[in-house]
Amino acid sequence: MRGLSLFLGCLVPNRYPGIELATKLCLAKMDIDCSDLPGASCCPAPGVFRSFDKTSWLTLASRNIVLSEELERDVLTICNGCFSTLADANHIIQDDEKAKEKVNIHLLKIGRQVKGNIDVRHIIEYLYQEYGPEKISSFVERPLDVRIAVHYGCHLIKPTKDRGLGNSERPVFFDELITALGATSVDYPDKMACCGAGGGMRSAMKERSLKMTEAKLAKIQEAGVDCIVNSCPFCHMQLDSGQDDIKELTGTEFEIPVLHYTQLLGLALGFPAEMLGIDTSIEKNRKLMELLDSQLES
Amino acid sequence: MDEMTGENININEQLKEASTNALRCMQCGVCSSSCPSGRHTSLNIRKLVKIAGRSSDILKSDELWMCTTCYNCQERCPRGIDIVDTILKIRSISAYHNIILPEHRAVCQMLLKYGHAVPINDDYKIKRTEMGLEELPETVHKYTDSLNEVKELLTSCGFERFTEDNTDENKTMENTA
Ligand code: SF4
Ligand code: SF4
């Protein structure tokens, strides 16, 4: 198996550094060979940039891929958007010789050439396919007996023809990675529904995008969970800080903690909340941590 | 539409080409009934598919930008129409004719300036160091040479057209589309 390079994207390092740290701590603890990817840029985000201009989208994505090719490592993403852009771009480079030639004309100007000889991975499918729930369980130092609403997000699994992770109507792989940590994955209506942020909607039509978020959060609240777990900082932002926006807009309060899977994994591997960027000065997070602490004592 | 100028013939041709697949649509409505956006916004994706190649009016509709690209419709369409890919192609045509929402233009400006759609700021620099991370991440933020590479590539691809607000072209569009 080739080693990995960690592709950070924008939101993780610049808004959710806790997810960056959680990822690095988990990978190190599990002894997964993963290096930095110095000089990487925005993936670029599929919502706006892919919509606008495929050439610049593909060229910039290819530059990020080249950086990892030069390290002879596969790219590891921790964001559904980055995964979508880099995996799709990588397939185009691998399957479409003409597109690759065109991109390489641009890349030549910065002295680089894309080859198409590495893979792009997402941490969820990587952990599932290369380790599997049982092996993940064996790393757990602190089983987490909590009820979790899993949010897959759209681009981890769709379009299914490109992702190859099976059916998108009722997938189970992410849920299995949750139960591997001792937690319960709670089923809820519209579990596979979009968070509302994608396609440039959050940036240009925030209020309307939050209506989708509110509908989803209401279903999650009805199901009765201790927290939401996602695989994407963009969904994370929409579901988490979206709760504050919704409170301001409509007065509806949800108070559901939101964690990226790497943060949940970090807790199960025994790291304290503070090291994982889980802000316990926020009431809802404090309650979650108290619940977990009470389990340690009992 | 008063007269067919070179510009709008071009647009109509481009729209037709982008939406050839959508001609297979049988207007069953599986797409719209699967659409999370349609439940809460004015987007009716079945209608959008119907008008996709027929009129440049689609470029002026807000609905074109109400799709989150969740792919539900495309996954379920019984005719196998690549609905989202069609939307993306039509959005590109829109962007090329300078019909760009101001917020999206701002994101493009960020990318060209910083190499990140969401760049770091002082608050998060502090947050990073407090957590024990380096102040700047291992990205273009830390390496000027890398940022310059990104800028050079974007220029090479003609990306500046999306960052410059060309109001004259906007006016042309209003008259022709
Ligand atoms: S699901 Fe497909 S065939 Fe049915 S209305 Fe939508 S685009 Fe047309
Ligand atoms: S991809 Fe867009 S149009 Fe299709 S179901 Fe999702 S939000 Fe609706």
Side-chain angles (χ1 to χ4, degrees):
Chain A
M1 210 196 314
R2 254 191 307 267
L4 301 167
S5 74
L6 180 61
F7 182 81
L8 295 172
C10 298
L11 278 181
V12 167
N14 301 335
R15 291 296 179 273
Y16 293 104
I19 299 176
E20 176 178 337
L21 194 52
T23 305
K24 287 179 172 167
L25 291 171
C26 291
L27 292 172
K29 184 127 191 192
M30 295 174 71
D31 216 5
I32 295 173
D33 174 17
C34 186
S35 74
D36 286 328
L37 187 58
S41 66
C42 177
C43 52
V48 172
F49 304 120
R50 189 179 192 170
S51 285
F52 277 21
D53 181 45
K54 209 163 170 186
T55 307
S56 47
W57 167 81
L58 183 61
T59 304
L60 222 53
S62 298
R63 178 182 170 274
N64 287 322
I65 292 168
V66 173
L67 296 179
S68 199
E69 284 182 357
E70 289 170 0
L71 299 175
E72 294 177 26
R73 288 170 177 273
D74 289 338
V75 180
L76 181 70
T77 58
I78 45 180
C79 164
N80 292 2
C82 298
F83 183 51
S84 162
T85 276
L86 296 179
D88 284 351
N90 203 38
H91 283 147
I92 295 173
I93 294 303
Q94 288 173 343
D95 300 342
D96 184 342
E97 203 47 50
K98 267 198 184 144
K100 180 171 142 187
E101 270 172 32
K102 272 193 192 163
V103 164
N104 274 332
I105 292 173
H106 293 295
L107 287 174
L108 196 60
K109 294 184 183 168
I110 59 163
R112 302 189 191 268
Q113 291 285 282
V114 70
K115 296 194 180 77
N117 58 6
I118 57 159
D119 289 326
V120 175
R121 310 297 304 259
H122 185 294
I123 190 148
I124 298 298
E125 62 81 24
Y126 178 85
L127 290 177
Y128 188 79
Q129 306 201 81
E130 307 300 337
Y131 285 77
E134 258 177 56
K135 195 148 178 221
I136 303 279
S137 283
S138 70
F139 287 103
V140 172
E141 288 184 6
R142 176 188 187 177
L144 309 168
D145 186 12
V146 284
R147 288 166 59 81
I148 286 169
V150 180
H151 174 78
Y152 279 75
C154 302
H155 297 133
L156 174 61
I157 189 159
K158 294 176 282 187
T160 49
K161 67 169 168 39
D162 299 324
R163 294 294 170 272
L165 294 172
N167 192 287
S168 64
E169 301 289 348
R170 200 162 275 170
V172 293
F173 58 91
F174 196 172
D175 305 81
E176 288 180 20
L177 290 182
I178 297 283
T179 44
L181 309 181
T184 307
S185 172
V186 179
D187 201 14
Y188 61 97
D190 292 331
K191 180 173 166 184
M192 295 311 294
C194 176
C195 68
M201 264 199 87
R202 185 189 161 87
S203 54
M205 302 183 173
K206 194 167 173 188
E207 279 194 29
R208 274 174 277 205
S209 82
L210 285 168
K211 284 190 183 160
M212 284 179 250
T213 317
E214 186 173 359
K216 176 134 198 171
L217 288 168
K219 297 271 165 61
I220 290 174
Q221 192 159 51
E222 266 171 44
V225 300
D226 300 310
C227 79
I228 297 171
V229 172
N230 60 70
S231 57
C232 171
F234 206 48
C235 303
H236 186 99
M237 178 165 67
Q238 185 76 357
L239 294 167
D240 193 27
S241 69
Q243 291 183 38
D244 300 332
D245 299 328
I246 291 165
K247 188 173 161 188
E248 226 166 80
L249 282 168
T250 69
T252 309
E253 275 187 62
F254 287 106
E255 298 291 322
I256 311 169
V258 181
L259 300 182
H260 188 273
Y261 182 75
T262 53
Q263 294 174 306
L264 187 79
L265 179 62
L267 288 173
L269 297 185
F271 294 106
E274 305 76 60
M275 281 181 83
L276 304 165
I278 302 169
D279 185 351
T280 45
S281 69
I282 295 170
E283 167 90 357
K284 59 185 184 186
N285 291 344
R286 193 174 46 79
K287 278 191 190 154
L288 175 66
M289 293 319 299
E290 280 171 5
L291 175 69
L292 288 170
D293 288 344
S294 69
Q295 290 168 5
L296 269 189
E297 285 152 20
S298 63
Chain B
M1 216 174 289
D2 305 320
E3 54 184 311
M4 294 291 276
T5 65
E7 177 85 338
N8 70 29
I9 292 173
N10 193 357
I11 292 177
N12 289 335
E13 283 306 315
Q14 289 171 347
L15 284 172
K16 258 193 204 166
E17 202 185 311
S19 53
T20 309
N21 252 324
L23 291 173
R24 292 206 305 267
C25 172
M26 57 181 173
Q27 288 289 297
C28 67
V30 165
C31 52
S32 27
S33 62
S34 307
C35 176
S37 179
R39 288 189 210 168
H40 305 282
T41 68
S42 53
L43 172 62
N44 181 331
I45 186 61
R46 178 185 58 79
K47 278 193 185 156
L48 214 64
V49 171
K50 188 174 181 181
I51 66 161
R54 294 194 188 170
S55 151
S56 56
D57 285 351
I58 194 170
L59 300 184
K60 284 201 279 183
S61 76
D62 279 348
E63 283 76 14
L64 183 60
W65 302 97
M66 290 181 193
C67 165
T68 68
T69 71
C70 79
Y71 285 96
N72 270 6
C73 52
Q74 184 162 319
E75 288 292 331
R76 290 181 179 168
C77 171
R79 285 280 164 96
I81 297 169
D82 50 352
I83 304 171
V84 182
D85 303 332
T86 304
I87 291 174
L88 294 182
K89 280 186 208 154
I90 296 175
R91 284 184 178 181
S92 299
I93 296 171
S94 179
Y96 263 85
H97 292 283
N98 212 25
I99 309 173
I100 296 174
L101 297 171
E103 296 85 352
H104 290 158
R105 195 186 297 284
V107 179
C108 292
Q109 286 161 349
M110 289 291 186
L111 183 68
L112 189 58
K113 190 165 176 195
Y114 300 106
H116 278 296
V118 182
I120 193 131
N121 60 31
D122 287 344
D123 285 352
Y124 286 95
K125 281 185 195 168
I126 294 170
K127 223 174 197 176
R128 289 183 61 87
T129 42
E130 280 173 357
M131 301 194 74
L133 287 164
E134 276 188 67
E135 183 177 83
L136 292 175
E138 284 292 316
T139 67
V140 283
H141 272 334
K142 196 167 155 187
Y143 303 99
T144 318
D145 288 352
S146 300
L147 179 57
N148 289 336
E149 285 188 12
V150 167
K151 288 181 178 177
E152 189 162 347
L153 287 178
L154 286 173
T155 304
S156 172
C157 296
F159 188 78
E160 277 99 343
R161 66 178 302 142
F162 307 112
T163 61
E164 291 153 6
D165 190 1
N166 191 335
T167 3
D168 282 349
E169 265 186 57
N170 259 336
K171 275 193 200 125
T172 318
M173 193 57 216
E174 253 162 54
N175 294 333
T176 55

